[in-house]
Amino acid sequence: MNTSDAERLATVLKQLGYQETNNEKEADLIGVIACSVRQAAVDRIYGKLREWQLVKVKRPLITLLSGCVLPQDRKKFKDKFDLFIDINHLDHIATDLKNLAPEEKLALSDFFSIDPSYQSDYRAYVPIMTGCNKFCTYCAVPYTRGREMSRPSGQIIDEVKNLLSQGYKEIILLGQNVNSYGLDRKEEIKFPELLKKIDGLGKNFWLKFLTSHPYDMSDELIATMSKAQNLSHYLHLPVQSGSDAVLKKMNRHYTVAHYKKLIKKIREAIADIAISTDIIVGFPTETEVQFKETLKLVKEVGYNTAYFAQYSPRVGTAATKMFKDDVPKTTKKKRWQELNKLIGQQSLNFNKKLIGKTALVLIDQNEKIDKNYLNLGKLANYTTVKINTSKPLKIGGFVKVKITKALNWGVEGAIIKK
Ligand code: SAH
Ligand code: SF4
């Protein structure tokens, strides 16, 4: 989502006459696309601000803040940045910038109708909705991005059509809870229908979507997924905890039994699907027994990857009002490490099962090492693949490989001659 926000913001700035640079030293305008999900990311902004304050003493520099920012942080940062841009209202940027730099031209567009300056020429993030209505008690998103707002399907389809005609190989549909796409617009198609339409727009591309909420994962969606031609066999389905008591306090609206049933249905529909998840450890009042339930669930599901976070209280969310952040930092860290060790083993097991299989790899980077090249790419299910070759492989191109070896963080593959 941050990448997608940045791509759209870059377009608006370009419309205003700005040029992109990777060199902070020559920038006239510099900004942060913030993430407020955890405190650590917010703290990093202060570090950057101090750096830029020193630059401002020497030369003119406009600093900008956008992305996911909590109202409280917005107040705190108000005097420290020259501009705050609500990401859902990029149309304000032109007027706000005009006050600072009156010679600028006006550009008016809303977030969704902006043609983004894609950072990659083969992988594109396409937002289909923004905001969230779920109000999980720990989460800042409903406060930073507001309520669910679906993008008109015609606009999404046009963007994807255009990307495919330019040769894009991977399309990632984005939303905090893509499964509730269209529910805020009576006349609009719903997510399974949207997925079906996008799947039908072309051949030989990878289609993915992020993120699904287990509560809204319908049978209709699972059936659509199993029939789709281009959909990667990969699903990110955050569970957050393996304890019903904790899930209830998190306001997740499902039980562990419901989640397990979902996983079963999904695997019955798509046998080789790779599933990943998000888990929070150390949610207020989480006991050792409840954490063990999470470990048990992770073992039972057999994820190929997972993202773990130590609970971090976000000002203004329900959890901070209802509970004390009472799990000690050391316990959170211990639980995090335990889960990390487990997922490392699961990941290796998953990777071992891939040995001997042939698969397409989308190449992301290569590097010359002695006389040969080390190429890194991804399988459709996001597994990293390492390929050694004598000539570099084309970045953004597909190659067919045979998986030869399992590693902790991915697999090794050898090119299959056509
Ligand atoms: N919409 C997505 C997640 C968005 S936030 C979903 O529902 O799954 C991404 C992840 O950050 C969450 O899945 C959660 O695991 C983590 N997270 C969110 N708020 C957090 C908090 N206060 N402390 C720790 N982790 C948090
Ligand atoms: Fe946050 Fe929950 Fe919404 Fe995900 S579903 S963005 S965790 S409130």
Side-chain angles (χ1 to χ4, degrees), residues 134-139 212-215 237-263 277-287 289-291 293-295 297-298 301 303 318-319 322-323:
K134 285 277 184 286
F135 287 93
C136 303
T137 53
Y138 51 81
C139 185
S212 293
H213 191 293
Y215 179 79
L237 195 63
V239 67
Q240 310 299 357
S241 167
S243 149
D244 282 342
V246 175
L247 286 175
K248 193 149 194 210
K249 287 181 182 168
M250 288 177 163
N251 196 32
R252 289 290 289 181
H253 297 288
Y254 55 82
T255 59
V256 174
H258 171 85
Y259 186 86
K260 286 205 285 197
K261 219 160 100 191
L262 259 184
I263 297 282
T277 200
D278 289 351
I279 286 172
I280 297 177
V281 294
F283 186 79
T285 75
E286 185 190 62
T287 63
V289 173
Q290 287 166 340
F291 171 66
E293 290 181 81
T294 301
L295 278 177
L297 178 72
V298 172
V301 174
Y303 295 103
M322 291 155 67
F323 313 105

Side-chain angles (χ1 to χ4, degrees), residues 37-38 138-141 176-177 211-213 238 240 252 278-280 309-314:
V37 162
R38 281 171 250 163
Y138 51 81
C139 185
V141 171
Q176 292 300 341
N177 177 17
T211 296
S212 293
H213 191 293
Q240 310 299 357
R252 289 290 289 181
D278 289 351
I279 286 172
I280 297 177
Q310 300 175 36
Y311 172 72
S312 147
R314 314 307 302 128

Side-chain angles (χ1 to χ4, degrees), residues 370-385:
D370 297 329
K371 280 183 190 145
N372 286 328
Y373 286 84
L374 166 68
N375 308 272
L376 290 177
K378 292 257 188 288
L379 298 181
N381 66 20
Y382 268 148
T383 305
T384 302
V385 188

Side-chain angles (χ1 to χ4, degrees), residues 104-362:
E104 304 294 7
K105 288 196 300 292
L106 268 177
L108 291 171
S109 31
D110 74 70
F111 179 73
F112 285 146
S113 59
I114 295 163
D115 286 333
S117 300
Y118 301 105
Q119 285 175 16
S120 152
D121 56 8
Y122 59 94
R123 173 179 296 130
Y125 296 97
V126 178
I128 65 166
M129 62 186 302
T130 174
C132 185
N133 295 352
K134 285 277 184 286
F135 287 93
C136 303
T137 53
Y138 51 81
C139 185
V141 171
Y143 307 94
T144 61
R145 300 194 79 105
R147 294 305 94 78
E148 281 171 10
M149 201 166 64
S150 299
R151 184 179 181 192
S153 56
Q155 226 181 58
I156 302 171
I157 289 166
D158 284 348
E159 186 173 338
V160 176
K161 259 191 201 157
N162 189 19
L163 287 163
L164 295 177
S165 72
Q166 289 175 49
Y168 272 77
K169 303 286 191 318
E170 186 170 16
I171 306 290
I172 303 161
L173 307 178
L174 286 183
Q176 292 300 341
N177 177 17
V178 291
N179 303 359
S180 53
Y181 173 82
L183 297 179
D184 59 314
R185 288 171 176 257
K186 254 205 191 119
E187 74 290 357
E188 197 46 276
I189 53 172
K190 307 303 167 232
F191 187 57
E193 183 70 25
L194 179 71
L195 196 64
K196 202 165 134 191
K197 286 203 164 157
I198 294 176
D199 180 53
L201 291 178
K203 279 194 182 127
N204 307 325
F205 73 99
W206 287 352
L207 178 60
K208 293 183 169 69
F209 56 84
L210 284 172
T211 296
S212 293
H213 191 293
Y215 179 79
D216 296 316
M217 186 102 210
S218 65
D219 289 351
E220 188 194 352
L221 176 59
I222 298 172
T224 308
M225 285 169 65
S226 72
K227 285 183 213 133
Q229 295 295 308
N230 298 297
L231 193 73
S232 299
H233 287 183
Y234 167 80
L235 178 70
H236 185 59
L237 195 63
V239 67
Q240 310 299 357
S241 167
S243 149
D244 282 342
V246 175
L247 286 175
K248 193 149 194 210
K249 287 181 182 168
M250 288 177 163
N251 196 32
R252 289 290 289 181
H253 297 288
Y254 55 82
T255 59
V256 174
H258 171 85
Y259 186 86
K260 286 205 285 197
K261 219 160 100 191
L262 259 184
I263 297 282
K264 192 164 169 266
K265 274 193 215 167
I266 294 161
R267 289 221 165 106
E268 275 165 10
I270 309 170
D272 66 345
I273 195 159
I275 301 174
S276 62
T277 200
D278 289 351
I279 286 172
I280 297 177
V281 294
F283 186 79
T285 75
E286 185 190 62
T287 63
E288 201 55 36
V289 173
Q290 287 166 340
F291 171 66
K292 290 263 150 51
E293 290 181 81
T294 301
L295 278 177
K296 185 166 165 262
L297 178 72
V298 172
K299 274 186 201 150
E300 280 174 20
V301 174
Y303 295 103
N304 69 319
T305 44
Y307 305 89
F308 307 122
Q310 300 175 36
Y311 172 72
S312 147
R314 314 307 302 128
V315 185
T317 57
T320 56
K321 293 173 198 150
M322 291 155 67
F323 313 105
K324 233 177 84 198
D325 181 17
D326 61 354
V327 178
K329 262 203 175 113
T330 46
T331 311
K332 286 180 186 165
K333 196 166 164 201
K334 215 179 102 244
R335 290 180 185 168
W336 186 92
Q337 284 167 338
E338 209 168 326
L339 271 173
N340 221 27
K341 204 172 134 203
L342 174 62
I343 205 72
Q345 292 159 0
Q346 288 196 344
S347 189
L348 184 62
N349 286 343
F350 181 88
N351 295 340
K352 276 184 185 160
K353 285 192 203 136
L354 297 173
I355 296 177
K357 295 216 158 92
T358 54
L360 276 185
V361 180
L362 185 55

Side-chain angles (χ1 to χ4, degrees), residues 92-110:
H92 291 190
I93 192 169
T95 358
D96 292 348
L97 258 179
K98 217 174 163 67
N99 294 333
L100 291 167
E103 70 281 5
E104 304 294 7
K105 288 196 300 292
L106 268 177
L108 291 171
S109 31
D110 74 70

